[in-house]
Amino acid sequence: MKVLAIDTATEACSAALSCDGRVLARWEHVGRSHTARLMPMVRELIAEAGIAFAQLDGYVCGIGPGSFAGVRIGVGYVKGLALAVDRPVIGVSSLAMLALPALRAGSAQVIAAIDARMDEVYLGCYRRDGDGLPQLLGRESVCAPQHAAAVEGGAWTGVGSGWGSYEAALRAATRADLIGLDAHALPRAEDGLALGLPRLLAGEGDCADRLTPAYLRDKVALTLSEQQAQRRAR
């Protein structure tokens, strides 16, 4: 099976291609240049694999949460490719992608946090399931770091830019017994591929028309009055 995965939900841009068991991947820290880098990155992978786009059997797309613009770029790109040749797609959480490497490295429980700007974080708590994949505990959420829900006992690993920006507040709010922390971790499409490929093989792929972003919130910026109120609260 030949499957392409991409993720553009954060300042990282990544793509991965599984070609009959062989995995090729690209990852770059691009800031806001996803539009400029995504298509060349994917073309490089297709050329390296020696296949054509028409030979792809399906797609995996990181649907966020993350940057509104970044998520839209990725979802729109995958929709265009998949609809053109009527291929199935799987949407995967960018927070789950963040959690997977830590779980594979031996952590049993992971708190993935992405800096959501506006003094908030996107949060997801995961436990390793029987297949070694992230099992979401509760729901993914967006909140002020000091309002993050406390987690149950046991050892936890923290991953993601949210920890880099708000480590002290997240430690206090979650009351997590952290045994590991990677505050620089960003999602990688290769991990999205690991999450989505089994679902495609199981026939769970959906029509690209139904692929939707997971924004978690409906505002991209504070109004002037909200910014002033926030400064006064500090």
Side-chain angles (χ1 to χ4, degrees):
M1 194 173 197
K2 300 174 180 63
V3 176
L4 176 69
I6 71 149
D7 185 76
T8 55
T10 65
E11 54 268 42
C13 179
S14 59
L17 175 64
S18 177
C19 192
D20 301 324
R22 177 191 179 202
V23 175
L24 307 171
R26 297 285 190 280
W27 186 96
E28 292 181 24
H29 191 291
V30 300
R32 299 182 179 180
S33 301
H34 299 87
T35 302
R37 284 301 304 140
L38 179 59
M39 287 184 280
M41 188 180 288
V42 170
R43 291 195 189 102
E44 289 171 13
L45 288 177
I46 294 293
E48 185 176 343
I51 63 172
F53 280 98
Q55 293 176 265
L56 290 171
D57 299 299
Y59 294 86
V60 176
C61 182
I63 58 172
S67 157
F68 276 47
V71 172
R72 283 198 302 269
I73 289 168
V75 169
Y77 182 67
V78 167
K79 276 190 170 185
L81 290 175
L83 287 171
V85 288
D86 191 24
R87 296 293 188 268
V89 300
I90 291 287
V92 298
S93 164
S94 300
L95 286 168
M97 282 189 231
L98 265 179
L100 181 58
L103 294 172
R104 283 182 161 173
S107 298
Q109 300 181 121
V110 174
I111 304 174
I114 294 174
D115 189 344
R117 312 305 178 191
M118 295 167 61
D119 292 323
E120 291 183 324
V121 291
Y122 298 116
L123 277 177
C125 297
Y126 298 89
R127 181 174 294 144
R128 188 172 59 240
D129 69 12
D131 297 318
L133 299 177
Q135 177 185 357
L136 180 63
L137 304 175
R139 300 172 61 184
E140 293 179 347
S141 63
V142 58
C143 64
Q146 64 269 26
H147 296 151
V151 297
E152 296 180 358
W156 291 83
T157 296
V159 296
S161 58
W163 287 100
S165 300
Y166 306 106
E167 180 183 345
L170 285 173
R171 280 181 179 269
T174 62
R175 302 175 191 171
D177 177 16
L178 288 185
I179 59 168
L181 180 63
D182 183 355
H184 302 290
L186 293 168
R188 292 178 176 267
E190 189 171 356
D191 296 316
L193 193 61
L195 297 175
L197 183 55
R199 294 171 58 191
L200 281 171
L201 288 169
E204 298 177 15
D206 207 346
C207 173
D209 272 336
R210 298 190 179 93
L211 186 67
T212 56
Y215 290 133
L216 297 190
R217 70 179 179 199
D218 56 10
K219 294 184 68 174
V220 296
L222 296 175
T223 65
L224 181 59
S225 60
E226 287 172 333
Q227 293 175 31
Q228 293 171 341
Q230 190 177 76
R231 284 194 289 270
R232 288 195 297 269
R234 291 174 186 164

mmCIF file with all atom_site columns, all heavy atoms in Angstrom, residues 164-187:
data_model
loop_
_atom_site.group_PDB
_atom_site.id
_atom_site.type_symbol
_atom_site.label_atom_id
_atom_site.label_alt_id
_atom_site.label_comp_id
_atom_site.label_asym_id
_atom_site.label_entity_id
_atom_site.label_seq_id
_atom_site.pdbx_PDB_ins_code
_atom_site.Cartn_x
_atom_site.Cartn_y
_atom_site.Cartn_z
_atom_site.occupancy
_atom_site.B_iso_or_equiv
_atom_site.pdbx_formal_charge
_atom_site.auth_seq_id
_atom_site.auth_comp_id
_atom_site.auth_asym_id
_atom_site.auth_atom_id
_atom_site.pdbx_PDB_model_num
ATOM 1   N N   . GLY A 1 164 ? 7.098  24.333 26.653 1.00 0.00 ? 164 GLY A N   1
ATOM 2   C CA  . GLY A 1 164 ? 8.185  25.302 26.524 1.00 0.00 ? 164 GLY A CA  1
ATOM 3   C C   . GLY A 1 164 ? 7.760  26.701 26.932 1.00 0.00 ? 164 GLY A C   1
ATOM 4   O O   . GLY A 1 164 ? 8.554  27.467 27.493 1.00 0.00 ? 164 GLY A O   1
ATOM 5   N N   . SER A 1 165 ? 6.506  27.040 26.670 1.00 0.00 ? 165 SER A N   1
ATOM 6   C CA  . SER A 1 165 ? 6.009  28.379 26.975 1.00 0.00 ? 165 SER A CA  1
ATOM 7   C C   . SER A 1 165 ? 5.443  28.514 28.383 1.00 0.00 ? 165 SER A C   1
ATOM 8   O O   . SER A 1 165 ? 5.507  29.596 28.982 1.00 0.00 ? 165 SER A O   1
ATOM 9   C CB  . SER A 1 165 ? 4.916  28.771 25.971 1.00 0.00 ? 165 SER A CB  1
ATOM 10  O OG  . SER A 1 165 ? 5.416  28.776 24.654 1.00 0.00 ? 165 SER A OG  1
ATOM 11  N N   . TYR A 1 166 ? 4.870  27.420 28.925 1.00 0.00 ? 166 TYR A N   1
ATOM 12  C CA  . TYR A 1 166 ? 4.122  27.525 30.183 1.00 0.00 ? 166 TYR A CA  1
ATOM 13  C C   . TYR A 1 166 ? 4.418  26.371 31.139 1.00 0.00 ? 166 TYR A C   1
ATOM 14  O O   . TYR A 1 166 ? 3.525  25.876 31.825 1.00 0.00 ? 166 TYR A O   1
ATOM 15  C CB  . TYR A 1 166 ? 2.615  27.546 29.890 1.00 0.00 ? 166 TYR A CB  1
ATOM 16  C CG  . TYR A 1 166 ? 2.188  28.597 28.905 1.00 0.00 ? 166 TYR A CG  1
ATOM 17  C CD1 . TYR A 1 166 ? 1.821  28.239 27.599 1.00 0.00 ? 166 TYR A CD1 1
ATOM 18  C CD2 . TYR A 1 166 ? 2.138  29.935 29.259 1.00 0.00 ? 166 TYR A CD2 1
ATOM 19  C CE1 . TYR A 1 166 ? 1.414  29.204 26.687 1.00 0.00 ? 166 TYR A CE1 1
ATOM 20  C CE2 . TYR A 1 166 ? 1.736  30.913 28.354 1.00 0.00 ? 166 TYR A CE2 1
ATOM 21  C CZ  . TYR A 1 166 ? 1.381  30.534 27.063 1.00 0.00 ? 166 TYR A CZ  1
ATOM 22  O OH  . TYR A 1 166 ? 0.983  31.491 26.163 1.00 0.00 ? 166 TYR A OH  1
ATOM 23  N N   . GLU A 1 167 ? 5.652  25.966 31.231 1.00 0.00 ? 167 GLU A N   1
ATOM 24  C CA  . GLU A 1 167 ? 5.976  24.782 32.034 1.00 0.00 ? 167 GLU A CA  1
ATOM 25  C C   . GLU A 1 167 ? 5.518  24.918 33.489 1.00 0.00 ? 167 GLU A C   1
ATOM 26  O O   . GLU A 1 167 ? 4.880  24.006 34.031 1.00 0.00 ? 167 GLU A O   1
ATOM 27  C CB  . GLU A 1 167 ? 7.477  24.498 32.001 1.00 0.00 ? 167 GLU A CB  1
ATOM 28  C CG  . GLU A 1 167 ? 7.851  23.285 32.829 1.00 0.00 ? 167 GLU A CG  1
ATOM 29  C CD  . GLU A 1 167 ? 9.344  23.015 32.880 1.00 0.00 ? 167 GLU A CD  1
ATOM 30  O OE1 . GLU A 1 167 ? 10.084 23.596 32.059 1.00 0.00 ? 167 GLU A OE1 1
ATOM 31  O OE2 . GLU A 1 167 ? 9.762  22.218 33.748 1.00 0.00 ? 167 GLU A OE2 1
ATOM 32  N N   . ALA A 1 168 ? 5.851  26.032 34.117 1.00 0.00 ? 168 ALA A N   1
ATOM 33  C CA  . ALA A 1 168 ? 5.524  26.188 35.543 1.00 0.00 ? 168 ALA A CA  1
ATOM 34  C C   . ALA A 1 168 ? 4.018  26.110 35.769 1.00 0.00 ? 168 ALA A C   1
ATOM 35  O O   . ALA A 1 168 ? 3.548  25.424 36.687 1.00 0.00 ? 168 ALA A O   1
ATOM 36  C CB  . ALA A 1 168 ? 6.082  27.507 36.067 1.00 0.00 ? 168 ALA A CB  1
ATOM 37  N N   . ALA A 1 169 ? 3.231  26.810 34.940 1.00 0.00 ? 169 ALA A N   1
ATOM 38  C CA  . ALA A 1 169 ? 1.777  26.820 35.113 1.00 0.00 ? 169 ALA A CA  1
ATOM 39  C C   . ALA A 1 169 ? 1.182  25.438 34.847 1.00 0.00 ? 169 ALA A C   1
ATOM 40  O O   . ALA A 1 169 ? 0.270  25.000 35.559 1.00 0.00 ? 169 ALA A O   1
ATOM 41  C CB  . ALA A 1 169 ? 1.150  27.852 34.176 1.00 0.00 ? 169 ALA A CB  1
ATOM 42  N N   . LEU A 1 170 ? 1.692  24.743 33.846 1.00 0.00 ? 170 LEU A N   1
ATOM 43  C CA  . LEU A 1 170 ? 1.168  23.411 33.538 1.00 0.00 ? 170 LEU A CA  1
ATOM 44  C C   . LEU A 1 170 ? 1.518  22.401 34.621 1.00 0.00 ? 170 LEU A C   1
ATOM 45  O O   . LEU A 1 170 ? 0.709  21.538 34.971 1.00 0.00 ? 170 LEU A O   1
ATOM 46  C CB  . LEU A 1 170 ? 1.701  22.938 32.173 1.00 0.00 ? 170 LEU A CB  1
ATOM 47  C CG  . LEU A 1 170 ? 1.063  23.593 30.952 1.00 0.00 ? 170 LEU A CG  1
ATOM 48  C CD1 . LEU A 1 170 ? 1.795  23.166 29.677 1.00 0.00 ? 170 LEU A CD1 1
ATOM 49  C CD2 . LEU A 1 170 ? -0.416 23.234 30.848 1.00 0.00 ? 170 LEU A CD2 1
ATOM 50  N N   . ARG A 1 171 ? 2.714  22.497 35.157 1.00 0.00 ? 171 ARG A N   1
ATOM 51  C CA  . ARG A 1 171 ? 3.092  21.597 36.257 1.00 0.00 ? 171 ARG A CA  1
ATOM 52  C C   . ARG A 1 171 ? 2.153  21.793 37.454 1.00 0.00 ? 171 ARG A C   1
ATOM 53  O O   . ARG A 1 171 ? 1.684  20.828 38.057 1.00 0.00 ? 171 ARG A O   1
ATOM 54  C CB  . ARG A 1 171 ? 4.541  21.865 36.694 1.00 0.00 ? 171 ARG A CB  1
ATOM 55  C CG  . ARG A 1 171 ? 5.613  21.228 35.812 1.00 0.00 ? 171 ARG A CG  1
ATOM 56  C CD  . ARG A 1 171 ? 6.989  21.550 36.371 1.00 0.00 ? 171 ARG A CD  1
ATOM 57  N NE  . ARG A 1 171 ? 8.067  20.958 35.615 1.00 0.00 ? 171 ARG A NE  1
ATOM 58  C CZ  . ARG A 1 171 ? 8.602  19.759 35.845 1.00 0.00 ? 171 ARG A CZ  1
ATOM 59  N NH1 . ARG A 1 171 ? 8.137  19.011 36.845 1.00 0.00 ? 171 ARG A NH1 1
ATOM 60  N NH2 . ARG A 1 171 ? 9.599  19.309 35.115 1.00 0.00 ? 171 ARG A NH2 1
ATOM 61  N N   . ALA A 1 172 ? 1.909  23.064 37.782 1.00 0.00 ? 172 ALA A N   1
ATOM 62  C CA  . ALA A 1 172 ? 1.075  23.352 38.946 1.00 0.00 ? 172 ALA A CA  1
ATOM 63  C C   . ALA A 1 172 ? -0.373 22.915 38.718 1.00 0.00 ? 172 ALA A C   1
ATOM 64  O O   . ALA A 1 172 ? -1.007 22.344 39.620 1.00 0.00 ? 172 ALA A O   1
ATOM 65  C CB  . ALA A 1 172 ? 1.130  24.841 39.258 1.00 0.00 ? 172 ALA A CB  1
ATOM 66  N N   . ALA A 1 173 ? -0.897 23.148 37.522 1.00 0.00 ? 173 ALA A N   1
ATOM 67  C CA  . ALA A 1 173 ? -2.300 22.846 37.258 1.00 0.00 ? 173 ALA A CA  1
ATOM 68  C C   . ALA A 1 173 ? -2.559 21.353 37.104 1.00 0.00 ? 173 ALA A C   1
ATOM 69  O O   . ALA A 1 173 ? -3.537 20.824 37.645 1.00 0.00 ? 173 ALA A O   1
ATOM 70  C CB  . ALA A 1 173 ? -2.771 23.587 36.008 1.00 0.00 ? 173 ALA A CB  1
ATOM 71  N N   . THR A 1 174 ? -1.695 20.669 36.373 1.00 0.00 ? 174 THR A N   1
ATOM 72  C CA  . THR A 1 174 ? -1.935 19.244 36.121 1.00 0.00 ? 174 THR A CA  1
ATOM 73  C C   . THR A 1 174 ? -1.528 18.372 37.302 1.00 0.00 ? 174 THR A C   1
ATOM 74  O O   . THR A 1 174 ? -1.996 17.239 37.429 1.00 0.00 ? 174 THR A O   1
ATOM 75  C CB  . THR A 1 174 ? -1.154 18.775 34.880 1.00 0.00 ? 174 THR A CB  1
ATOM 76  O OG1 . THR A 1 174 ? 0.264  18.923 35.109 1.00 0.00 ? 174 THR A OG1 1
ATOM 77  C CG2 . THR A 1 174 ? -1.557 19.551 33.646 1.00 0.00 ? 174 THR A CG2 1
ATOM 78  N N   . ARG A 1 175 ? -0.632 18.880 38.146 1.00 0.00 ? 175 ARG A N   1
ATOM 79  C CA  . ARG A 1 175 ? -0.114 18.120 39.288 1.00 0.00 ? 175 ARG A CA  1
ATOM 80  C C   . ARG A 1 175 ? 0.513  16.799 38.831 1.00 0.00 ? 175 ARG A C   1
ATOM 81  O O   . ARG A 1 175 ? 0.504  15.789 39.560 1.00 0.00 ? 175 ARG A O   1
ATOM 82  C CB  . ARG A 1 175 ? -1.211 17.840 40.308 1.00 0.00 ? 175 ARG A CB  1
ATOM 83  C CG  . ARG A 1 175 ? -1.888 19.089 40.844 1.00 0.00 ? 175 ARG A CG  1
ATOM 84  C CD  . ARG A 1 175 ? -3.047 18.748 41.748 1.00 0.00 ? 175 ARG A CD  1
ATOM 85  N NE  . ARG A 1 175 ? -3.856 19.931 42.046 1.00 0.00 ? 175 ARG A NE  1
ATOM 86  C CZ  . ARG A 1 175 ? -5.031 19.892 42.668 1.00 0.00 ? 175 ARG A CZ  1
ATOM 87  N NH1 . ARG A 1 175 ? -5.536 18.726 43.050 1.00 0.00 ? 175 ARG A NH1 1
ATOM 88  N NH2 . ARG A 1 175 ? -5.714 20.994 42.894 1.00 0.00 ? 175 ARG A NH2 1
ATOM 89  N N   . ALA A 1 176 ? 1.061  16.822 37.641 1.00 0.00 ? 176 ALA A N   1
ATOM 90  C CA  . ALA A 1 176 ? 1.635  15.605 37.068 1.00 0.00 ? 176 ALA A CA  1
ATOM 91  C C   . ALA A 1 176 ? 2.996  15.308 37.672 1.00 0.00 ? 176 ALA A C   1
ATOM 92  O O   . ALA A 1 176 ? 3.810  16.211 37.894 1.00 0.00 ? 176 ALA A O   1
ATOM 93  C CB  . ALA A 1 176 ? 1.770  15.758 35.561 1.00 0.00 ? 176 ALA A CB  1
ATOM 94  N N   . ASP A 1 177 ? 3.241  14.035 37.923 1.00 0.00 ? 177 ASP A N   1
ATOM 95  C CA  . ASP A 1 177 ? 4.562  13.575 38.343 1.00 0.00 ? 177 ASP A CA  1
ATOM 96  C C   . ASP A 1 177 ? 5.374  13.349 37.073 1.00 0.00 ? 177 ASP A C   1
ATOM 97  O O   . ASP A 1 177 ? 5.371  12.265 36.496 1.00 0.00 ? 177 ASP A O   1
ATOM 98  C CB  . ASP A 1 177 ? 4.425  12.267 39.137 1.00 0.00 ? 177 ASP A CB  1
ATOM 99  C CG  . ASP A 1 177 ? 5.770  11.690 39.537 1.00 0.00 ? 177 ASP A CG  1
ATOM 100 O OD1 . ASP A 1 177 ? 6.783  12.430 39.478 1.00 0.00 ? 177 ASP A OD1 1
ATOM 101 O OD2 . ASP A 1 177 ? 5.822  10.490 39.872 1.00 0.00 ? 177 ASP A OD2 1
ATOM 102 N N   . LEU A 1 178 ? 6.048  14.426 36.621 1.00 0.00 ? 178 LEU A N   1
ATOM 103 C CA  . LEU A 1 178 ? 6.769  14.353 35.350 1.00 0.00 ? 178 LEU A CA  1
ATOM 104 C C   . LEU A 1 178 ? 8.098  13.637 35.509 1.00 0.00 ? 178 LEU A C   1
ATOM 105 O O   . LEU A 1 178 ? 8.936  14.018 36.334 1.00 0.00 ? 178 LEU A O   1
ATOM 106 C CB  . LEU A 1 178 ? 7.025  15.751 34.802 1.00 0.00 ? 178 LEU A CB  1
ATOM 107 C CG  . LEU A 1 178 ? 5.838  16.538 34.236 1.00 0.00 ? 178 LEU A CG  1
ATOM 108 C CD1 . LEU A 1 178 ? 6.337  17.854 33.639 1.00 0.00 ? 178 LEU A CD1 1
ATOM 109 C CD2 . LEU A 1 178 ? 5.086  15.731 33.192 1.00 0.00 ? 178 LEU A CD2 1
ATOM 110 N N   . ILE A 1 179 ? 8.304  12.612 34.695 1.00 0.00 ? 179 ILE A N   1
ATOM 111 C CA  . ILE A 1 179 ? 9.587  11.913 34.685 1.00 0.00 ? 179 ILE A CA  1
ATOM 112 C C   . ILE A 1 179 ? 10.365 12.214 33.411 1.00 0.00 ? 179 ILE A C   1
ATOM 113 O O   . ILE A 1 179 ? 11.503 11.790 33.256 1.00 0.00 ? 179 ILE A O   1
ATOM 114 C CB  . ILE A 1 179 ? 9.389  10.389 34.808 1.00 0.00 ? 179 ILE A CB  1
ATOM 115 C CG1 . ILE A 1 179 ? 8.528  9.867  33.653 1.00 0.00 ? 179 ILE A CG1 1
ATOM 116 C CG2 . ILE A 1 179 ? 8.785  10.036 36.154 1.00 0.00 ? 179 ILE A CG2 1
ATOM 117 C CD1 . ILE A 1 179 ? 8.527  8.355  33.549 1.00 0.00 ? 179 ILE A CD1 1
ATOM 118 N N   . GLY A 1 180 ? 9.743  12.961 32.518 1.00 0.00 ? 180 GLY A N   1
ATOM 119 C CA  . GLY A 1 180 ? 10.410 13.337 31.283 1.00 0.00 ? 180 GLY A CA  1
ATOM 120 C C   . GLY A 1 180 ? 9.729  14.544 30.676 1.00 0.00 ? 180 GLY A C   1
ATOM 121 O O   . GLY A 1 180 ? 8.539  14.770 30.884 1.00 0.00 ? 180 GLY A O   1
ATOM 122 N N   . LEU A 1 181 ? 10.500 15.363 29.948 1.00 0.00 ? 181 LEU A N   1
ATOM 123 C CA  . LEU A 1 181 ? 9.948  16.564 29.342 1.00 0.00 ? 181 LEU A CA  1
ATOM 124 C C   . LEU A 1 181 ? 10.719 16.899 28.074 1.00 0.00 ? 181 LEU A C   1
ATOM 125 O O   . LEU A 1 181 ? 11.944 17.000 28.082 1.00 0.00 ? 181 LEU A O   1
ATOM 126 C CB  . LEU A 1 181 ? 10.023 17.739 30.325 1.00 0.00 ? 181 LEU A CB  1
ATOM 127 C CG  . LEU A 1 181 ? 9.477  19.089 29.855 1.00 0.00 ? 181 LEU A CG  1
ATOM 128 C CD1 . LEU A 1 181 ? 7.988  18.983 29.570 1.00 0.00 ? 181 LEU A CD1 1
ATOM 129 C CD2 . LEU A 1 181 ? 9.740  20.168 30.898 1.00 0.00 ? 181 LEU A CD2 1
ATOM 130 N N   . ASP A 1 182 ? 9.993  17.057 26.966 1.00 0.00 ? 182 ASP A N   1
ATOM 131 C CA  . ASP A 1 182 ? 10.577 17.520 25.709 1.00 0.00 ? 182 ASP A CA  1
ATOM 132 C C   . ASP A 1 182 ? 9.754  18.716 25.250 1.00 0.00 ? 182 ASP A C   1
ATOM 133 O O   . ASP A 1 182 ? 8.748  18.564 24.563 1.00 0.00 ? 182 ASP A O   1
ATOM 134 C CB  . ASP A 1 182 ? 10.571 16.417 24.649 1.00 0.00 ? 182 ASP A CB  1
ATOM 135 C CG  . ASP A 1 182 ? 11.250 16.844 23.351 1.00 0.00 ? 182 ASP A CG  1
ATOM 136 O OD1 . ASP A 1 182 ? 11.633 18.036 23.246 1.00 0.00 ? 182 ASP A OD1 1
ATOM 137 O OD2 . ASP A 1 182 ? 11.395 16.007 22.440 1.00 0.00 ? 182 ASP A OD2 1
ATOM 138 N N   . ALA A 1 183 ? 10.191 19.901 25.647 1.00 0.00 ? 183 ALA A N   1
ATOM 139 C CA  . ALA A 1 183 ? 9.435  21.116 25.372 1.00 0.00 ? 183 ALA A CA  1
ATOM 140 C C   . ALA A 1 183 ? 9.628  21.619 23.949 1.00 0.00 ? 183 ALA A C   1
ATOM 141 O O   . ALA A 1 183 ? 8.994  22.595 23.543 1.00 0.00 ? 183 ALA A O   1
ATOM 142 C CB  . ALA A 1 183 ? 9.835  22.204 26.360 1.00 0.00 ? 183 ALA A CB  1
ATOM 143 N N   . HIS A 1 184 ? 10.505 20.981 23.196 1.00 0.00 ? 184 HIS A N   1
ATOM 144 C CA  . HIS A 1 184 ? 10.777 21.414 21.825 1.00 0.00 ? 184 HIS A CA  1
ATOM 145 C C   . HIS A 1 184 ? 10.135 20.500 20.792 1.00 0.00 ? 184 HIS A C   1
ATOM 146 O O   . HIS A 1 184 ? 10.244 20.748 19.588 1.00 0.00 ? 184 HIS A O   1
ATOM 147 C CB  . HIS A 1 184 ? 12.287 21.475 21.581 1.00 0.00 ? 184 HIS A CB  1
ATOM 148 C CG  . HIS A 1 184 ? 13.020 22.386 22.511 1.00 0.00 ? 184 HIS A CG  1
ATOM 149 N ND1 . HIS A 1 184 ? 12.888 23.762 22.459 1.00 0.00 ? 184 HIS A ND1 1
ATOM 150 C CD2 . HIS A 1 184 ? 13.877 22.131 23.543 1.00 0.00 ? 184 HIS A CD2 1
ATOM 151 C CE1 . HIS A 1 184 ? 13.642 24.319 23.394 1.00 0.00 ? 184 HIS A CE1 1
ATOM 152 N NE2 . HIS A 1 184 ? 14.237 23.351 24.074 1.00 0.00 ? 184 HIS A NE2 1
ATOM 153 N N   . ALA A 1 185 ? 9.460  19.469 21.225 1.00 0.00 ? 185 ALA A N   1
ATOM 154 C CA  . ALA A 1 185 ? 8.871  18.505 20.292 1.00 0.00 ? 185 ALA A CA  1
ATOM 155 C C   . ALA A 1 185 ? 7.770  19.150 19.457 1.00 0.00 ? 185 ALA A C   1
ATOM 156 O O   . ALA A 1 185 ? 6.979  19.948 19.953 1.00 0.00 ? 185 ALA A O   1
ATOM 157 C CB  . ALA A 1 185 ? 8.310  17.307 21.062 1.00 0.00 ? 185 ALA A CB  1
ATOM 158 N N   . LEU A 1 186 ? 7.738  18.791 18.175 1.00 0.00 ? 186 LEU A N   1
ATOM 159 C CA  . LEU A 1 186 ? 6.703  19.228 17.253 1.00 0.00 ? 186 LEU A CA  1
ATOM 160 C C   . LEU A 1 186 ? 6.203  18.013 16.479 1.00 0.00 ? 186 LEU A C   1
ATOM 161 O O   . LEU A 1 186 ? 6.925  17.020 16.341 1.00 0.00 ? 186 LEU A O   1
ATOM 162 C CB  . LEU A 1 186 ? 7.253  20.285 16.278 1.00 0.00 ? 186 LEU A CB  1
ATOM 163 C CG  . LEU A 1 186 ? 7.634  21.634 16.886 1.00 0.00 ? 186 LEU A CG  1
ATOM 164 C CD1 . LEU A 1 186 ? 8.436  22.463 15.892 1.00 0.00 ? 186 LEU A CD1 1
ATOM 165 C CD2 . LEU A 1 186 ? 6.381  22.403 17.319 1.00 0.00 ? 186 LEU A CD2 1
ATOM 166 N N   . PRO A 1 187 ? 4.975  18.062 15.979 1.00 0.00 ? 187 PRO A N   1
ATOM 167 C CA  . PRO A 1 187 ? 4.443  16.890 15.263 1.00 0.00 ? 187 PRO A CA  1
ATOM 168 C C   . PRO A 1 187 ? 5.264  16.541 14.024 1.00 0.00 ? 187 PRO A C   1
ATOM 169 O O   . PRO A 1 187 ? 5.849  17.418 13.380 1.00 0.00 ? 187 PRO A O   1
ATOM 170 C CB  . PRO A 1 187 ? 3.030  17.341 14.870 1.00 0.00 ? 187 PRO A CB  1
ATOM 171 C CG  . PRO A 1 187 ? 2.699  18.463 15.790 1.00 0.00 ? 187 PRO A CG  1
ATOM 172 C CD  . PRO A 1 187 ? 3.991  19.154 16.068 1.00 0.00 ? 187 PRO A CD  1
#
